[in-house]
Amino acid sequence: MNRDEIKKDLKNILSGKRYEHTLGVEYTSACLAMRYGADMEKARMAGLLHDCAKSLSSEEKLEYCKKFGMPVSEYERKNPELLHAKLGACFANTKYGISDPEILSAITWHTTGKPDMDLLDKIVFVADYMEPNRNQAPDLAEVRKLAFQNLDQCLFLILKDTIDYLAGKKSVTDPMTQRTYDYYEKELCSL
Ligand code: DGI
Ligand code: FE
Ligand code: FE
């Protein structure tokens, strides 16, 4: 599908708010790609599709994982919401015809991050958190400024705030979110 066809489909399957968020992540990913010299078209496409599996119920998510033969960790089984990222990459590939591994990787890791992310992974991760329609998260002004100054420091601040937020909700942090945090803590401290 081309971008217009993808947008039309997303408008149909996502709620109005989620669709607006999706467009926000598309634009913000494009801006960060301009700043850091990433491929802008890939950034836009990854931003556009990152939440394409978000509207499925938890049961449907688990069902599709089975269908795609996608392994589900113990933690994901308890928090199926997290699966929208990996499933999003499956749909980007099978339903929307995206085969570019960098785009699929950015969609896959947009919620938890992962250690040693590629530039496009980082861009979509950060854009998802700070796109203009977001207004709940702490430190948003600082995150938005830092995003254009130092992408790794920005990434680390988001991970820290996410882990603090989850601790406040008494939720357990996904092992991958924690590994990502630990990796970037080490990396930034060794500079
Ligand atoms: O899909 P979005 O809402 O746009 O954003 P997202 O894909 O980053 O998902 C955000 C939610 O995911 C937010 O409520 C925090 C949650 N999240 C991120 N890391 C973890 C997590 N939730 C759990 N339970 N564990 C995590 O490690
Ligand atoms: Fe998401
Ligand atoms: Fe999102």
Side-chain angles (χ1 to χ4, degrees):
M1 283 191 214
N2 65 33
R3 185 162 37 232
D4 284 343
E5 290 166 334
I6 292 175
K7 279 193 174 164
K8 221 172 168 179
D9 188 72
L10 291 175
K11 200 170 167 46
N12 271 326
I13 61 174
L14 298 175
S15 72
K17 260 191 121 162
R18 182 61 51 184
Y19 183 66
E20 287 303 316
H21 162 70
T22 287
L23 296 185
V25 178
E26 182 194 3
Y27 299 148
T28 306
S29 298
C31 292
L32 291 171
M34 292 175 199
R35 162 69 179 85
Y36 292 104
D39 185 315
M40 192 184 68
E41 289 305 324
K42 287 190 190 185
R44 287 184 75 181
M45 191 54 89
L48 189 61
L49 284 170
H50 82 286
D51 274 341
C52 70
K54 189 87 180 178
S55 57
L56 299 172
S57 70
S58 291
E59 292 72 33
E60 287 171 320
K61 286 191 182 83
L62 289 165
E63 240 168 67
Y64 272 111
C65 285
K66 222 184 216 172
K67 218 178 201 167
F68 285 121
M70 218 182 73
V72 175
S73 73
E74 190 191 329
Y75 188 83
E76 288 166 333
R77 196 165 295 283
K78 286 189 197 142
N79 302 277
E81 164 58 23
L82 288 167
L83 291 166
H84 80 276
K86 291 178 185 170
L87 270 181
C90 292
F91 284 119
N93 184 234
T94 56
K95 179 176 176 191
Y96 300 104
I98 303 294
S99 53
D100 184 277
E102 290 177 5
I103 297 177
L104 298 178
S105 169
I107 299 172
T108 301
W109 302 111
H110 86 263
T111 303
T112 60
K114 67 164 179 174
D116 198 16
M117 284 189 266
D118 285 344
L119 180 57
L120 205 68
D121 299 336
K122 293 177 186 174
I123 284 176
V124 175
F125 182 88
V126 168
D128 185 30
Y129 196 85
M130 71 169 215
E131 62 92 6
N133 300 294
R134 293 278 207 207
N135 53 20
Q136 304 284 335
D139 299 331
L140 263 180
E142 173 70 8
V143 165
R144 285 174 174 146
K145 194 171 160 197
L146 209 47
F148 292 95
Q149 294 171 335
N150 187 318
L151 197 57
D152 282 357
Q153 275 179 16
C154 179
L155 193 71
F156 185 64
L157 178 57
I158 292 173
L159 287 160
K160 184 181 155 304
D161 283 345
T162 300
I163 288 174
D164 286 349
Y165 164 79
L166 291 168
K169 279 206 322 175
K170 308 243 182 298
S171 309
V172 190
T173 302
D174 185 277
M176 188 53 95
T177 308
Q178 189 63 51
R179 274 182 60 197
T180 310
Y181 176 88
D182 294 345
Y183 176 89
Y184 283 98
E185 183 182 42
K186 227 180 184 170
E187 166 130 329
L188 290 172
C189 285
S190 67
L191 291 179

